[in-house]
Amino acid sequence: MNRNLFAYIWSNSRREQLAILAVVLLSLPFYFVSLDLPKYIVNDAIQGRAFAGGKTEATLFAFRFTVPWWLGGSGTPITLFDGFTLERFAYLFALSGAFLLLVLVNGGFKWFINLRKGKLGELLLKKMRFDLFSLLVRFSPESVKAVKPSEMATVINNEVEPIGGFVGDAFITPVFLGGQALTALTFIVVQSPALGVIAAFIVAIQALIIPRLRREQLRLGKQRQLAARALAGQIGEVVEGISAVHSHGTSAYELARIDRRLSHLFKIRFDLYNRKFFVKFVNNLLAQITPFIFYALGGYLALTGKLDIGQLVAVIAAYRELPPPVKELIDWDQQRMDVQVKYDQVVEQFATVTLIPEPTQAPEPQAFRTGQVEAASLKVVDGRGQVHIDNVSFVIPLPAHVALGAEGGDGPDIVARILGRQLMDFSGRLKLSGYDVAAVPQEEAGRAIAYAGPETVIFQGTIRENVSYGLNLCPPADETWDHPGDWIDYAAAGATGPEDLDARIIEALRVVGMDQTIYRFGLGGLIDAERFPTLAVQTVDARRAVFRALAETGSTELIEPFDPAAYNRNATISENLLFGIPIGGTLAGRRFISHPFIRETLAKSGLTADLTGMGREIAATMIDIFTDLPPDHFLFEQFSFIRSEELPDFAAIVARLDRGEPPTADETARLIELTLDYIEPRHRLGLLDAGREARIVSARALIKSTLPADLAGAIEFYDPDRVCAAAPLKDNLLFGRITYGVAGAEERVLAVVQDCIVRLGLEQDVYRLGLDFQCGPGGRFLTPTQRAAVALARALVKRPCVLVVNEALVQFGEAERRQVLERIQEAMRGASLIVAMKTVEAPPDFDHLVTFAGPRLRGTLALGSRMGGGRVASDAAASSA
């Protein structure tokens, strides 16, 4: 980016700036006429100068001009329009109407100019943010580690905002406001040179003094920006490390650190306000002195006949138009300096980092499939002077499966990072198939080389979006800001379209051992009939197949099916009441029991007293069990109906009921709410009998038959013969609840479900539904092992020529780690696989072993070749570094 703010603005908005400047210049004659017209209204219409000598009519809007003699004119006026002959009142109203028209025209010019300035500012702000983000994605890995993500987000999002607001004002405002000020000042000088000189003198004082007083504001503004950026960085750091804060109990320490920064920021902001309002006081004082001089001196000139009343009124009116543009020009100068400081800071922030060099060669991705990897005199020294690798040189033919091992030191990790383009600050040379790894363009490198390291990066989105992230390499022609196109390069994954790509993603997840997890996610997903029409149609058939299979094996007791006419003892009370799934927020959570229709239905069914009494028993039991436990005890999460902070409230409610006092409406709702998740076989408090179950079933029928129109879309009821779109696939397949208290019931039932799904050919749809699982911010909805598996699958699905695995399997168990690595080897057959290890023993079926002793290369050993399908022992000796 250009280091000069005005040069950056002009180079990116020249054409639009010139167009708006042309409109500004066009507006100035209209502005001058609007200043001059009040003089004629006062002198000609009100005081009657146009009707002197007893005339009852006068001519208005006559347009005549005389050609100067030096242009060959004869001196005779040329009439373009004879004007209108008007009586005095009509004359007055015509001039007033013309003045009103000019006010509207000038307002229209301002509206148009401000609108175009605003649009121009937003467009350039968009470009500036895009330019900064373009630089950000070119940060070298070392530079990325040296900056805080929250600070960079603050710079790109917040700190450039004032710069964008200034873009439209940079050239247009000084011309527009300066033109208005000069026009008003010129008009005053024409009417009265003395008053014009005074006005110019006051304006000059303002223009000289105010900017100098505001220099301290600039310094304080810069300090405020730096302090705010540091505050954002520290807050982001605490959020990222909140688990450490909780585990070590350092909340008070972090609050004190934040308080110190807030206090420092407050002092800067308060000093800034003091300076700001002092400057405003001085500016207003200078602005108010001038009217006093105008009234005194102007009145004197009018009384002595040197200035007529119309001229005095016009001068005073013109001066009223002078301070605003002058003040705004001074403000513009303040804004210019302030924005220049912000722009300089933003540019400096990005100028101090190391960028990935612009590409100098663009090989075809498949060029990396053969050739060799050649390291020559590699050396990496960190900022503390510690040498990580030194004088490392080796040559290995490709394709090959290569193990990097070490006896101490981090040589394998460093070489793997260089190969994966995760480390750019090194000396020496590393070539892949004849191309300098660091100089290959990012897109080509992204297609050909995949890196999976210990630091997993998971984006907020679905598993499908995360695994296919590395395939977003084809810019669509039809993409707009409100209609993102499809960037996926299906050919890179060997897929023909979205559905085929899902199959490739599932296969990659199978390689890393996550296929069954995806299957379980699919069972927990909602059925989208538009995307999965076959699954939506055949789910009911699969449901019946599950019950038939359970009946054939004599295992029907494992599931208690939903029956519209019976209470399901393995379902919650709320599920039995609704016999369906709430949709939206109308009947969700506590709103269910607080809704008037539900309360009325419970009363009609005789359940209000029943459920209130059950709630009282649950509350009393929970109070007896959990009162002496600490608030963060795990039993609260697993078994309690009441949160720890609510125990005192419910203790008070129970005590009131024990004294015989009736519960309030709010207390009744809270007690009934406790019962909604109650399941008799699970919680075993003996609160449900046949009578209460029958009344709940009766209330269920009443809810469905009397549901008001405003709740028609708030519940999707269960139906044995159709799919419930609001319920997970698993619930649709079981159409009931797994029986509590039967050992291994869930595993046995799910095995039957999976068998039925496979026989009906629905397995792929279930996996695809599982790919819709949301990973959460930073992958928080996944376990560490699942995050590592998704990152590995992302590397595999794009079928790279070279896959670098650098401690990407540390989250897996030892046995699973070996199995996953074997499957990765099989998936990378015919391509190159480079694995960094903490041992010098190569895994089975690897072609080469490169070992390190400390920072130096110990040797390379050719183990055999798997490219030909077998393993051949090699007698090649290890070569010294």
Side-chain angles (χ1 to χ4, degrees):
M1 290 177 62
N2 197 310
R3 297 188 69 89
N4 185 282
L5 173 61
F6 281 84
Y8 178 82
I9 294 173
W10 185 254
S11 63
N12 288 286
S13 62
R14 183 186 303 108
R15 180 178 299 180
E16 186 67 14
Q17 296 275 5
L18 290 172
I20 301 175
L21 286 172
V23 176
V24 169
L25 296 176
L26 181 63
S27 70
L28 293 180
F30 292 91
Y31 181 64
F32 184 89
V33 174
S34 70
L35 295 176
D36 197 39
L37 199 56
K39 178 179 68 177
Y40 294 99
I41 294 175
V42 173
N43 289 340
D44 292 352
I46 296 176
Q47 290 192 323
R49 187 175 65 182
F51 300 89
K55 290 193 297 182
T56 59
E57 294 180 336
T59 301
L60 183 62
F61 301 139
F63 293 100
R64 303 182 180 91
F65 72 94
T66 302
V67 179
W69 63 267
W70 46 271
L71 289 178
S74 61
T76 304
I78 299 175
T79 302
L80 296 179
F81 180 62
D82 290 330
F84 302 99
T85 302
L86 303 172
E87 294 180 350
R88 189 164 181 173
F89 282 106
Y91 193 96
L92 171 63
F93 292 136
L95 283 175
S96 300
F99 181 77
L100 177 61
L101 178 63
L102 286 171
V103 170
L104 295 176
V105 169
N106 288 328
F109 274 118
K110 286 184 179 180
W111 171 80
F112 178 81
I113 292 168
N114 287 330
L115 182 66
R116 297 304 292 266
K117 283 197 310 180
K119 179 182 178 183
L120 176 60
E122 289 300 320
L123 285 173
L124 202 56
L125 177 61
K126 171 178 173 286
K127 175 171 174 50
M128 186 179 297
R129 283 174 171 156
F130 183 82
D131 288 344
L132 291 175
F133 188 77
S134 299
L135 289 173
L136 180 62
V137 297
R138 286 185 53 214
F139 276 22
S140 68
E142 294 80 9
S143 296
V144 171
K145 292 178 181 178
V147 299
K148 293 181 179 179
S150 55
E151 288 190 10
M152 298 312 298
T154 299
V155 170
I156 295 177
N157 185 46
N158 297 335
E159 293 189 13
V160 299
E161 184 83 26
I163 302 173
F166 179 73
V167 165
D169 295 327
F171 298 98
I172 297 163
T173 294
V175 175
F176 182 52
L177 296 177
Q180 285 190 332
L182 285 174
T183 300
L185 190 59
T186 301
F187 178 79
I188 294 173
V189 170
V190 170
Q191 307 304 315
S192 172
L195 294 177
V197 169
I198 293 173
F201 178 71
I202 297 296
V203 168
I205 291 177
Q206 285 179 285
L208 291 173
I209 292 179
I210 301 301
R212 283 169 171 75
L213 292 175
R214 282 180 168 171
R215 286 177 182 171
E216 177 64 12
Q217 281 182 251
L218 291 177
R219 187 187 67 81
L220 292 171
K222 183 175 182 179
Q223 287 187 1
R224 178 182 62 180
Q225 184 174 353
L226 293 174
R229 187 187 297 174
L231 175 65
Q234 186 169 331
I235 292 173
E237 189 177 73
V238 172
V239 171
E240 290 173 1
I242 195 69
S243 59
V245 175
H246 290 166
S247 63
H248 295 290
T250 55
S251 298
Y253 171 70
E254 293 298 344
L255 287 170
R257 291 178 65 201
I258 290 295
D259 182 62
R260 283 194 296 272
R261 289 201 181 274
L262 289 172
S263 300
H264 177 60
L265 184 59
F266 167 77
K267 182 181 183 305
I268 295 173
R269 293 175 68 90
F270 187 69
D271 290 345
L272 186 59
Y273 284 133
N274 282 338
R275 192 72 180 185
K276 176 181 176 182
F277 290 116
F278 173 72
V279 172
K280 184 175 288 188
F281 164 75
V282 174
N283 194 26
N284 290 336
L285 179 64
L286 291 173
Q288 295 303 319
I289 288 176
T290 310
F292 160 75
I293 297 175
F294 271 36
Y295 284 121
L297 182 58
Y300 171 78
L301 294 175
L303 291 175
T304 57
K306 296 179 181 178
L307 190 69
D308 60 50
I309 297 299
Q311 286 178 310
L312 179 59
V313 171
V315 164
I316 293 174
Y319 180 74
R320 280 203 304 269
E321 299 294 325
L322 185 59
V326 172
K327 179 181 179 300
E328 290 181 39
L329 273 174
I330 295 172
D331 291 341
W332 173 87
D333 186 62
Q334 163 73 21
Q335 186 185 14
R336 174 191 65 80
M337 291 186 288
D338 189 37
V339 168
Q340 183 68 60
V341 168
K342 287 182 170 64
Y343 183 79
D344 291 343
Q345 285 183 306
V346 170
V347 171
E348 288 170 10
Q349 178 81 16
F350 283 79
T352 56
V353 300
T354 304
L355 300 178
I356 296 175
E358 293 287 351
T360 57
Q361 41 188 336
E364 285 294 323
Q366 293 304 314
F368 296 99
R369 194 164 289 279
T370 58
Q372 60 186 21
V373 55
E374 177 188 355
S377 303
L378 287 180
K379 184 176 183 178
V380 173
V381 182
D382 64 22
R384 297 169 297 175
Q386 182 179 353
V387 178
H388 292 275
I389 60 172
D390 187 18
N391 196 28
V392 172
S393 301
F394 59 83
V395 177
I396 296 174
L398 301 178
H401 288 192
V402 183
L404 306 176
E407 291 181 341
D410 50 6
D413 170 67
I414 296 298
V415 172
R417 288 178 183 275
I418 296 174
L419 279 167
R421 293 165 55 89
Q422 304 300 304
L423 195 156
M424 296 287 189
D425 189 9
F426 64 90
S427 60
R429 186 180 70 252
L430 183 64
K431 286 191 172 183
L432 200 60
S433 301
Y435 295 97
D436 188 342
V437 170
V440 178
Q442 289 192 59
E443 183 175 332
E444 281 70 20
R447 290 179 181 275
I449 305 170
Y451 175 85
E455 307 95 355
T456 56
V457 177
I458 304 297
F459 300 100
Q460 186 165 1
T462 65
I463 289 178
R464 175 187 293 103
E465 291 167 342
N466 270 280
V467 175
S468 64
Y469 177 78
L471 299 172
N472 287 299
L473 299 170
C474 292
D478 60 341
E479 177 166 278
T480 60
W481 68 270
D482 57 346
H483 179 72
D486 187 358
W487 280 70
I488 296 295
D489 183 355
Y490 294 99
T496 57
E499 191 168 341
D500 192 25
L501 177 62
D502 280 354
R504 307 285 176 170
I505 292 173
I506 293 165
E507 175 57 26
L509 290 165
R510 185 197 65 78
V511 171
V512 297
M514 198 178 170
D515 51 327
Q516 286 306 302
T517 300
I518 299 301
Y519 175 80
R520 290 195 298 272
F521 288 163
L523 289 179
L526 301 180
I527 305 170
D528 185 341
E530 195 171 318
R531 291 179 55 219
F532 303 99
T534 303
L535 185 62
V537 170
Q538 296 193 24
T539 294
V540 175
D541 294 336
R543 175 191 301 168
R544 293 167 181 156
V546 168
F547 280 101
R548 284 196 302 270
L550 289 172
E552 290 169 0
T553 58
S555 304
T556 53
E557 79 282 356
L558 297 180
I559 294 181
E560 183 178 4
F562 287 137
D563 183 344
Y567 187 91
N568 190 311
R569 291 180 58 80
N570 290 283
T572 65
I573 288 179
S574 64
E575 288 174 326
N576 275 282
L577 276 171
L578 280 184
F579 200 69
I581 302 293
I583 300 174
T586 306
L587 295 178
R590 194 172 183 182
R591 293 178 184 174
F592 171 75
I593 202 61
S594 63
H595 196 281
F597 169 71
I598 299 298
R599 291 204 309 269
E600 182 182 347
T601 303
L602 295 180
K604 287 180 180 178
S605 304
L607 279 174
T608 302
D610 280 343
L611 296 180
T612 302
M614 288 177 61
R616 187 257 173 223
E617 293 298 322
I618 292 173
T621 302
M622 295 300 107
I623 291 167
D624 289 342
I625 295 174
F626 294 103
T627 294
D628 296 328
L629 293 180
D632 57 349
H633 199 281
F634 72 94
L635 287 176
F636 275 105
E637 183 70 25
Q638 294 186 14
F639 300 109
S640 181
F641 287 79
I642 303 174
R643 296 193 300 270
S644 60
E645 63 269 20
E646 293 180 321
L647 279 176
D649 293 343
F650 279 100
I653 294 173
V654 171
R656 289 184 65 251
L657 294 177
D658 289 345
R659 291 196 300 269
E661 300 178 24
T664 65
D666 179 67
E667 291 172 344
T668 299
R670 295 185 70 179
L671 290 172
I672 293 177
E673 186 182 4
L674 291 182
T675 70
L676 296 181
D677 292 329
Y678 182 78
I679 302 172
E680 185 63 57
R682 178 187 176 189
H683 299 109
R684 301 185 180 187
L685 298 181
L687 300 179
L688 277 174
D689 55 26
R692 284 176 173 173
E693 290 177 357
R695 286 190 289 275
I696 290 173
V697 174
S698 174
R700 172 200 302 173
L702 196 59
I703 288 174
K704 187 171 184 180
S705 61
T706 63
L707 192 70
D710 63 317
L711 292 180
I715 306 173
E716 182 166 2
F717 294 103
Y718 291 134
D719 188 326
D721 298 319
R722 67 180 183 86
V723 171
C724 179
L729 174 61
K730 176 184 172 183
D731 288 1
N732 273 286
L733 291 170
L734 297 181
F735 198 70
R737 288 289 177 262
I738 296 175
T739 305
Y740 282 98
V742 179
E746 184 168 7
E747 291 77 9
R748 292 162 63 188
V749 169
L750 292 181
V752 172
V753 168
Q754 185 164 11
D755 181 64
C756 293
I757 286 174
V758 172
R759 283 193 282 109
L760 290 171
L762 300 177
E763 188 177 30
Q764 194 69 8
D765 279 348
V766 177
Y767 280 117
R768 292 183 62 212
L769 189 59
L771 295 179
D772 291 336
F773 184 83
Q774 289 288 335
C775 300
R780 292 178 186 175
F781 298 164
L782 302 176
T783 66
T785 303
Q786 290 168 352
R787 289 197 291 269
V790 168
L792 272 168
R794 179 192 299 156
L796 286 167
V797 77
K798 64 181 182 179
R799 302 189 306 171
C801 299
V802 180
L803 171 60
V804 181
V805 178
N806 182 18
E807 297 186 48
L809 301 173
V810 293
Q811 297 294 343
F812 295 84
E814 185 174 347
E816 189 179 10
R817 191 182 308 150
R818 287 196 301 268
Q819 295 168 2
V820 170
L821 184 56
E822 288 174 3
R823 291 195 293 267
I824 290 175
Q825 286 180 259
E826 186 61 33
M828 291 299 294
R829 181 179 289 274
S832 296
L833 173 64
I834 299 172
V835 178
M837 308 178 306
K838 294 293 188 182
T839 177
V840 293
E841 295 182 6
D845 295 326
F846 267 65
D847 304 308
H848 296 272
L849 174 64
V850 179
T851 57
F852 293 81
R856 290 186 168 271
L857 182 69
R858 181 184 178 193
T860 61
L861 179 65
L863 303 173
S865 174
R866 57 183 280 116
M867 297 302 110
R871 177 179 171 84
V872 180
S874 173
D875 295 328
S879 60
S880 179

